[in-house]
Amino acid sequence: MNVKLCVLSVGALFFMGQAVSAQKVKKDTISSKEIDEVLVIGYRNTTKKTSATSVATVDSKTIENRPNANVMNIIQGQLAGVNVTASTGQPGAKPTVIIRGVGTYNGNSDPLYVIDGFPSNSDNFRSINPNDIDSFSVLKDAAAIAEFGSRGSNGVIIITTKNGKYNQKMRVRYSTQFGVSVLQDPKYNFSNAKELLTMQKGFGVGMGAKMTDEQIANYTINTDWRKIFFRPAITQSHDLAIESGGQNINSYTSVGYLDNEGILKTTGLKRFTVRNNINGRSENERFKYSLVTGFGFSKNNEAILDGGAVNRNYVLGAYQSAPYLSPDLYQSGQQLFDLYSKDGTLLYTPLMLMDKLVNYGNLTEEIRMDMAANVSYKLTNDLTAKMRTSGQYLNNRFVQSEYPLSFNAFLFKGAQEFSGFEDMNLRREFLFNNLWQLEYSKTIGNHTFTLQGNAEYNYSQLNINNTRQRGLDPKTFVPGTGAGYVADTSSNDFYVPTTSTSKLKWAMISYFGSVDYDFNKKYGITGVLRRDGTNRFFDDKQWGTFWSVGGRWNLDEETFMENIKFVDAFKIRASYGTQGNQRIVDGTIYAGLNPPGYTNVYSVTNNTYNGTQGYAINFGDKNLRWETTKQYNIGSDFEFFKRRLKGSFDYYVKKTHDLYMPDPTAPVLGTLSIVRNTDVILENKGIELSLAYDMLRSNGNGVSLTFRVNGSINNQKISGIKSGGGRIADGLVVTANDGLLREYFLYKYLGVNPANGNLLFEDANGNSTENPTDADRKLMGVNRLPKYQGGFGFDFGYKSFFVSSTFTFVAKVKRFDYDMSSLYNPNNIAQFNVERDLLNAWTSTNTNTNVPSLKAANLGLQGNSDRFLVDASYVRLRNVQVGYRIPKKLLADTFISDMAITLQGENLLTFTKWKGYDVENPNASDQQRYPTPRVVTLGFDIKF
């Protein structure tokens, strides 16, 4: 703790000294009424009144002091057309963000993130302090995102961090939070120990098959494994910020610390951040500069759940383990291995996971450095030259250890004397951006012209080194240090470390220009033309051209609107243009670079022809090129009734051409398909509405009340598929002409045949059958992406008290509940927990039931039906905040200028038909996923 105080003290003294040396503060004479809201649009700034684009913005008041390690979770439900879903409850994990629907089949659907003008890496937001963010803007239409060319097809999110102000005295702000996170339990009816033993007795399997009714009735062990693996988690944060400004220089400096425990034992995130933003100008204001510096260090203990078997997955084990087992059975890895060797099944899964809690560890240490420098000089009163250089450095060290005395070490030991392993992963990433800009702006009477010419260079490089050491000496092993590694012997190569390394580079050169014309703030036209070249494609396909044009009409400036008193501002705008997507392979920005998608790859494989070696062939396509999205947008922004009602409306059509997807080929080539650009078109069409209405305004009585609501409807359609009868099958989903992307394609489940307990399905003619065929499958009309989404809430204030809330909702979306499917699977009765409903399964004496016979002949067909396809629509109370601001008169004789106390909750209530861990999860199933917690926090915000 002393170290932290020293760091804070040194930082405070340094920047206090900086403020003292700044120029003498002068009173700012600009009236607030004269200032129009500034919007950051791509590489230029405009105002809300003169903007012809569709932009949604959240300011710092919404972002600050929310208990989320990742800022992306904070904006959920705040912006129309922006679907943010927490894919996991892991502290600091990246959520899924989709703007105006998914516009690609195989490619990446992430938007482009731009932080202080620098295109950034979206995978590492856990090292950014949300309290440093001043505004969060989402660019959605073609006029807004065309300047980003081949990177903006999925939308652009622009984040600006806080700055000081010129002519401002030094201000100090300290905020702290203390919170508790708890598990949100699913709504399944889990069997207790006696019920599970009863089922086992009736089914003739497991421990219950050997017990009498009396023994079952008197059985006393009933373990809730959730209490073994989950916990109430504590979160605390501390943030100190200092702002200062003189006549020609200002600065903002912050230091932040976060300690976010995970609700799953052994998981959590610790983060330390420092940021300094400096802005300056010359005496005549012709020369301006800024320097942005950010540093973040985080330590993250993750739960590696994806793809893990049940005996390695805490979440599955916590809910599906047999409750009649006692945790006291576990003593050590060796003892558990001996116990497992006698049983030979996965019955002891929870004990294996208890062993993993103490005999397995992982740690990700991340260092993130962001630097950006901007300079501009007015060559003439109308001509300005600008240059920006930005860099981002990310260094990750991941250590994963399976200890030498763990259960798994004994399980996989074989004939070796030593077992266990340790992985060491070093990942170093560097991103660089350089922009040269020339801007000409001229006003002649009522006419204003602004022209920009730009040249930009982007470069990213990733270096990865992996090492795995097999064989750890339990007497000397210390995780992450290399101590205890067993040396190789001449007779045994098992202990030889295995290594791998990779180096990936991505680069892009761009030339683009823009033009803006305004007539008397009444009419406006904007246009953008951009040319991009990337190393992701081959030869002349490396280059792509993208453009947009937009216009606006401020009707409130027209003379015929003067007598319409309720209209304060009313603008109609429209745009049309193209954007490109070069991230045609899902994953990070480096996915698809090695091997390049345009090359043929031949590799030697074993046991190909009569047990001999052969070639594996993966064909590329030299004509590989950008996916191109064409989008038009018509919308309006308005303020009515003395600005009580504010809002915006948009209608858009977004079509992605040259869709990158599997294209069938003749089998004689050695492969059934080649992934290439096709003639398929993916269309997203929808409307967006955002409203805020001041029901009450504080007019001397201190009472204010504002209601907020936003929503969007997105209709998706795919067309142009020429092969396979216009369909592309992918397991349980199908992408078909005039249908949705990856639409569910299943048998319709009808219920239970009372005659024999088998499952009944609907055939193609609408009749019931026990043996459906592929011809009986039907398109379900839904996929796992919601058609409707949005949010609503209110802000209320009474004197010093304030209350705010945000609800989020999605509708017309379904997902497979694989957890429910597992709980209804009779094959799990012998070793795992199941649904209590199985006690009501069909028998010859219980024929009036909706639960099939535990020995139904066609039980395996339910996996291809909609029996467990569940409506995942929901309404969630995402955030509610209650606060009290200390009256100024009580602080008059203190050094504190403002102080507020807040109590808030996240994910407090959810209304849904979904029974699983988290309805918000956008993944195909909840299995193997870290549940999203319910969070309650107490916060203090103090200004000096």
Side-chain angles (χ1 to χ4, degrees):
M1 188 67 183
N2 292 333
V3 174
K4 297 175 189 174
L5 289 175
C6 287
V7 172
L8 292 175
S9 301
V10 171
L13 288 172
F14 174 79
F15 289 104
M16 285 179 184
Q18 175 181 290
V20 170
S21 66
Q23 289 89 341
K24 184 178 180 181
V25 173
K26 294 183 179 180
K27 183 178 180 181
D28 194 343
T29 58
I30 300 176
S31 170
S32 61
K33 293 183 180 179
E34 299 174 0
I35 300 175
D36 192 6
E37 181 180 346
V38 176
L39 297 177
V40 180
I41 310 281
Y43 298 88
R44 55 204 162 96
N45 292 346
T46 184
T47 64
K48 185 175 181 180
K49 187 176 184 68
T50 60
S51 169
T53 62
S54 178
V55 181
T57 301
V58 173
D59 62 18
S60 60
K61 293 180 181 179
T62 303
I63 299 171
E64 290 172 348
N65 298 320
R66 286 278 296 276
N68 293 273
N70 194 309
V71 67
M72 300 306 302
N73 290 320
I74 298 174
I75 64 151
Q76 186 182 28
Q78 305 282 345
L79 305 169
V82 183
N83 185 23
V84 181
T85 50
S87 55
T88 172
Q90 180 83 40
K94 171 188 171 185
T96 300
V97 181
I98 296 174
I99 300 174
R100 291 187 169 179
V102 172
T104 182
Y105 182 83
N106 274 331
N108 185 275
S109 60
D110 285 346
L112 172 68
Y113 295 85
V114 180
I115 302 177
D116 291 325
F118 174 48
S120 182
N121 189 330
S122 64
D123 297 324
N124 299 84
F125 272 76
R126 61 174 171 243
S127 295
I128 295 178
N129 188 348
N131 287 328
D132 286 337
I133 294 176
D134 184 54
S135 67
F136 191 105
S137 299
V138 179
L139 312 185
K140 297 184 285 187
D141 70 340
I145 62 182
E147 279 191 311
F148 294 98
S150 64
R151 297 171 296 165
S153 62
N154 297 316
V156 179
I157 293 178
I158 294 182
I159 297 174
T160 58
T161 57
K162 294 177 180 177
N163 287 286
K165 296 179 177 61
Y166 293 113
N167 304 321
Q168 172 186 282
K169 294 181 179 180
M170 186 179 70
R171 299 176 182 176
V172 181
R173 182 177 185 179
Y174 171 72
S175 58
T176 182
Q177 284 190 319
F178 180 84
V180 179
S181 303
V182 295
L183 179 67
Q184 296 186 84
D185 279 324
K187 301 175 183 177
Y188 303 122
N189 294 315
F190 294 100
S191 301
N192 60 35
K194 294 178 181 179
E195 290 168 336
L196 182 57
L197 290 170
T198 299
M199 273 186 263
Q200 289 183 345
K201 180 177 175 61
F203 201 47
V205 296
M207 190 172 80
K210 303 174 184 178
M211 298 176 68
T212 65
D213 292 339
E214 183 180 3
Q215 287 175 320
I216 293 175
N218 294 327
Y219 199 81
T220 58
I221 297 173
N222 187 37
T223 304
D224 185 351
W225 289 105
R226 289 169 291 185
K227 295 180 180 179
I228 302 298
F229 300 108
F230 291 99
R231 65 184 175 187
I234 304 300
T235 297
Q236 62 171 319
S237 66
H238 304 273
D239 292 281
L240 178 69
I242 302 172
E243 295 181 31
S244 62
Q247 177 67 19
N248 294 317
I249 190 172
N250 65 63
S251 72
Y252 168 85
T253 304
S254 73
V255 179
Y257 174 74
L258 170 73
D259 187 352
N260 185 184
E261 284 185 348
I263 56 172
L264 188 59
K265 290 181 179 179
T266 74
T267 65
L269 170 69
K270 293 183 180 181
R271 179 180 67 204
F272 177 76
T273 60
V274 177
R275 178 169 290 275
N276 180 228
N277 294 349
I278 298 175
N279 298 283
R281 61 191 181 189
S282 62
E283 197 69 34
N284 61 7
E285 298 190 20
R286 283 188 173 273
F287 176 72
K288 295 181 179 180
Y289 64 91
S290 67
L291 179 64
V292 176
T293 306
F295 171 83
F297 174 70
S298 65
K299 299 174 72 174
N300 195 16
N301 297 98
E302 296 180 287
I304 311 296
L305 304 179
D306 291 357
V310 63
N311 62 319
R312 288 180 175 266
N313 188 300
Y314 297 116
V315 177
L316 287 179
Y319 283 95
Q320 297 188 15
S321 293
Y324 57 77
L325 291 177
S326 170
D328 295 335
L329 286 172
Y330 172 74
Q331 297 175 15
S332 67
Q334 176 68 69
Q335 170 263 343
L336 178 57
F337 176 70
D338 295 339
L339 196 64
Y340 167 77
S341 298
K342 296 176 183 178
D343 180 81
T345 72
L346 292 176
L347 173 65
Y348 295 112
T349 283
L351 307 184
M352 299 174 192
L353 293 170
M354 288 180 65
D355 181 78
K356 186 178 178 181
L357 284 176
V358 296
N359 282 315
Y360 168 85
N362 72 70
L363 176 65
T364 300
E365 295 177 306
E366 178 181 275
I367 296 174
R368 173 175 179 144
M369 296 181 65
D370 294 272
M371 294 194 69
N374 295 270
V375 295
S376 68
Y377 186 77
K378 274 197 169 186
L379 302 174
T380 69
N381 290 336
D382 306 320
L383 185 63
T384 303
K386 302 178 182 180
M387 187 188 75
R388 181 189 70 210
T389 299
S390 311
Q392 183 181 98
Y393 174 76
L394 297 164
N395 186 291
N396 282 271
R397 182 178 187 263
F398 170 72
V399 179
Q400 175 182 227
S401 308
E402 193 160 86
Y403 299 169
L405 297 180
S406 67
F407 165 77
N408 283 314
F410 288 109
L411 183 64
F412 299 108
K413 186 176 182 180
Q416 312 303 323
E417 180 182 359
F418 299 98
S419 188
F421 69 85
E422 182 165 83
D423 291 330
M424 194 79 69
N425 177 291
L426 299 177
R427 188 179 192 274
R428 188 175 70 248
E429 185 175 0
F430 176 68
L431 296 90
F432 175 76
N433 172 269
N434 206 356
L435 174 72
W436 296 268
Q437 191 176 74
L438 200 60
E439 179 180 282
Y440 178 80
S441 184
K442 184 73 174 178
T443 299
I444 304 174
N446 292 328
H447 306 274
T448 299
F449 304 86
T450 301
L451 292 87
Q452 278 190 355
N454 306 269
E456 185 179 31
Y457 174 66
N458 283 279
Y459 174 81
S460 300
Q461 180 171 313
L462 174 67
N463 294 78
I464 298 177
N465 296 290
N466 297 317
T467 301
R468 167 168 285 200
Q469 169 66 39
R470 297 180 301 174
L472 307 173
D473 188 339
K475 296 178 181 179
T476 57
F477 173 67
V478 180
T481 66
Y485 284 12
V486 177
D488 179 38
T489 64
S490 59
S491 61
N492 189 346
D493 289 331
F494 180 81
Y495 304 128
V496 175
T498 58
T499 62
S500 65
T501 186
S502 65
K503 184 176 182 179
L504 298 171
K505 296 181 180 181
W506 170 78
M508 186 171 73
I509 298 176
S510 307
Y511 306 97
F512 56 100
S514 65
V515 57
D516 285 279
Y517 167 74
D518 171 74
F519 175 73
N520 202 26
K521 291 191 176 181
K522 185 185 297 185
Y523 312 110
I525 298 174
T526 181
V528 174
L529 179 65
R530 178 168 179 135
R531 181 78 168 161
D532 286 317
T534 177
N535 69 332
R536 196 177 295 273
F537 306 125
F538 180 73
D539 201 24
D540 62 330
K541 300 297 186 297
Q542 292 181 329
W543 290 93
T545 303
F546 309 98
W547 57 272
S548 77
V549 62
R552 61 172 169 82
W553 179 20
N554 296 81
L555 275 79
D556 55 285
E557 296 290 336
E558 297 287 357
T559 56
F560 62 77
M561 295 289 290
E562 291 179 355
N563 295 325
I564 304 177
K565 302 299 183 182
F566 73 90
V567 175
D568 303 299
F570 187 29
K571 176 175 63 179
I572 297 175
R573 47 183 167 70
S575 66
Y576 181 74
T578 64
Q579 304 86 44
N581 178 30
Q582 60 172 312
R583 294 180 63 179
I584 53 179
V585 177
D586 196 12
T588 70
I589 60 174
Y590 305 100
L593 284 175
N594 187 24
Y598 54 79
T599 60
N600 298 330
V601 178
Y602 303 89
S603 57
V604 177
T605 60
N606 294 319
N607 302 319
T608 304
Y609 301 105
N610 296 322
T612 61
Q613 289 185 331
Y615 275 116
I617 306 172
N618 184 22
F619 288 109
D621 182 11
K622 288 190 175 182
N623 292 315
L624 197 63
R625 60 194 181 279
W626 273 289
E627 292 180 340
T628 301
T629 298
K630 299 178 180 179
Q631 180 178 193
Y632 69 80
N633 187 100
I634 300 173
S636 67
D637 302 310
F638 49 85
E639 298 179 6
F640 299 151
F641 310 115
K642 297 182 179 179
R643 304 190 186 275
R644 283 183 177 270
L645 177 64
K646 300 178 182 180
S648 63
F649 171 83
D650 284 278
Y651 171 78
Y652 64 88
V653 177
K654 186 171 74 169
K655 294 183 178 181
T656 304
H657 297 256
D658 300 328
L659 212 64
Y660 186 68
M661 58 197 307
D663 190 24
T665 60
V668 69
L669 294 178
T671 183
L672 297 178
S673 65
I674 297 176
V675 181
R676 53 165 56 112
N677 297 94
T678 66
D679 295 328
V680 179
I681 297 174
L682 178 59
E683 177 186 85
N684 287 278
K685 177 170 62 177
I687 60 174
E688 300 167 349
L689 178 66
S690 181
L691 296 171
Y693 183 65
D694 297 333
M695 295 286 292
L696 300 171
R697 284 183 170 176
S698 181
N699 295 318
N701 59 3
V703 180
S704 62
L705 177 62
T706 300
F707 282 100
R708 298 171 276 104
V709 62
N710 73 82
S712 65
I713 303 173
N714 185 73
N715 294 289
Q716 191 179 70
K717 185 178 73 172
I718 198 161
S719 60
I721 301 175
K722 298 177 180 178
S723 59
R727 291 182 175 180
I728 298 175
D730 185 10
L732 301 180
V733 296
V734 162
T735 300
N737 284 333
D738 298 322
L740 302 173
L741 184 69
R742 294 185 173 91
E743 184 176 345
Y744 292 114
F745 187 55
L746 307 163
Y747 308 131
K748 185 172 179 57
Y749 175 67
L750 298 178
V752 179
N753 187 342
N756 56 16
N758 287 340
L759 290 77
L760 291 176
F761 306 93
E762 185 178 274
D763 66 16
N765 299 318
N767 301 315
S768 62
T769 178
E770 292 184 4
N771 300 295
T773 65
D774 282 345
D776 298 320
R777 289 193 180 194
K778 296 177 175 62
L779 289 169
M780 298 288 109
V782 292
N783 59 12
R784 60 186 179 89
L785 301 172
K787 179 177 180 179
Y788 308 99
Q789 68 92 23
F792 60 92
F794 67 86
D795 301 301
F796 172 76
Y798 175 67
K799 296 184 178 179
S800 296
F801 292 92
F802 55 92
V803 181
S804 67
S805 69
T806 297
F807 290 81
T808 59
F809 66 87
V810 302
K812 199 172 182 183
V813 55
K814 289 188 177 183
R815 290 180 21 232
F816 261 104
D817 193 340
Y818 286 101
D819 295 298
M820 182 184 290
S821 173
S822 181
L823 291 170
Y824 275 88
N825 188 349
N827 295 326
N828 287 334
I829 292 176
Q831 50 193 343
F832 295 111
N833 203 357
V834 293
E835 258 274 355
R836 184 177 290 120
D837 283 358
L838 293 188
L839 289 169
N840 190 36
W842 182 97
T843 64
S844 58
T845 58
N846 181 38
T847 59
N848 186 21
T849 177
N850 61 353
V851 182
S853 168
L854 299 183
K855 298 180 180 180
N858 61 349
L859 198 63
L861 293 174
Q862 67 181 2
N864 294 323
S865 77
D866 66 348
R867 183 184 180 192
F868 300 112
L869 184 65
V870 181
D871 186 352
S873 304
Y874 69 87
V875 176
R876 166 169 282 177
L877 178 54
R878 187 71 173 89
N879 175 265
V880 62
Q881 183 183 81
V882 179
Y884 180 73
R885 193 171 301 280
I886 307 299
K888 297 285 186 181
K889 61 182 181 181
L890 298 180
L891 303 173
D893 298 326
T894 70
F895 61 92
I896 299 174
S897 61
D898 191 18
M899 181 176 179
I901 305 171
T902 58
L903 179 67
Q904 63 182 313
E906 300 263 333
N907 305 323
L908 294 182
L909 295 171
T910 304
F911 306 94
T912 181
K913 296 179 181 179
W914 183 263
K915 293 184 177 181
Y917 306 133
D918 192 357
V919 65
E920 185 183 315
N921 193 323
N923 300 292
S925 89
D926 263 352
Q927 287 191 311
Q928 305 168 356
R929 300 293 175 180
Y930 195 119
T932 301
R934 182 178 291 114
V935 187
V936 177
T937 57
L938 176 66
F940 296 87
D941 190 12
I942 307 171
K943 297 178 181 178
F944 307 95

